[in-house]
Amino acid sequence: MDLDDAQDWVWCDSQFAAIETYVKTQQIPHGMICDWPEWYTAPYVGLWAVENPEDPGFVGHWILAGDSTGAQPQPVPFDHLSATDLPEPRDAMAAFARKWTTLAAAANKGIAWQGSPELSGDLAAKAKQLSRQAQLLALWAADDELWDLD
């Protein structure tokens, strides 16, 4: 599904409210929450920066957020990582891919995890889905064309 610029704007704008709610629910320390993702592919997933309250102007956490509209049958889960040692969005994308690969492998062995990402339902099915999504995140992180700075 390709969205035009206006549809991208509407999707990202609608995601922002979900990002705010997620940050508050997860009690993530924050300053400003950026109102536009650092990277996204609408209407599927976006990578958002959350300001470090102890170091204004710098990213404190990265939020990876799937579609919150309910339109996607298997949405990417919401998750977060500290930006410590992950200064760039591409670094964060690769870190989410590694984290999810590890979690999916553990879940395939029947080991559930606590915390983020929060998944409910059939652990084996969710592990398979998370593994596929981790592979896609890794592909995106490795694609130089997606991260070119003009």
Side-chain angles (χ1 to χ4, degrees), residues 7-124:
Q7 291 170 312
D8 275 0
W9 189 88
V10 168
W11 185 79
C12 288
D13 190 51
S14 71
Q15 286 291 100
F16 181 69
I19 299 301
E20 285 183 309
T21 299
Y22 178 77
V23 167
K24 290 174 186 168
T25 301
Q26 295 295 311
Q27 300 178 352
I28 297 169
H30 67 282
M32 183 182 80
I33 300 171
C34 293
D35 62 356
W36 195 259
E38 293 292 319
W39 180 93
Y40 70 96
T41 181
Y44 304 106
V45 64
L47 181 65
W48 301 73
V50 176
E51 184 181 50
N52 183 343
E54 296 176 10
D55 198 3
F58 292 92
V59 179
H61 282 85
W62 295 104
I63 310 296
L64 189 69
D67 181 49
S68 65
T69 67
Q72 302 305 318
Q74 295 181 327
V76 172
F78 278 50
D79 198 1
H80 64 279
L81 290 172
S82 169
T84 302
D85 299 325
L86 301 172
E88 299 296 325
R90 187 177 189 175
D91 300 328
M93 182 75 72
F96 280 112
R98 289 189 301 271
K99 176 184 178 183
W100 290 8
T101 298
T102 300
L103 292 175
N108 277 330
K109 296 176 184 175
I111 302 168
W113 61 87
Q114 299 295 319
S116 192
E118 294 178 10
L119 301 176
S120 59
D122 178 7
L123 186 60

Side-chain angles (χ1 to χ4, degrees), residues 74 104-105 107-108 113 119 122-135:
Q74 295 181 327
N108 277 330
W113 61 87
L119 301 176
D122 178 7
L123 186 60
K126 294 297 182 178
K128 185 176 180 180
Q129 177 182 336
L130 195 64
S131 178
R132 285 192 313 264
Q133 291 169 337
Q135 290 171 354

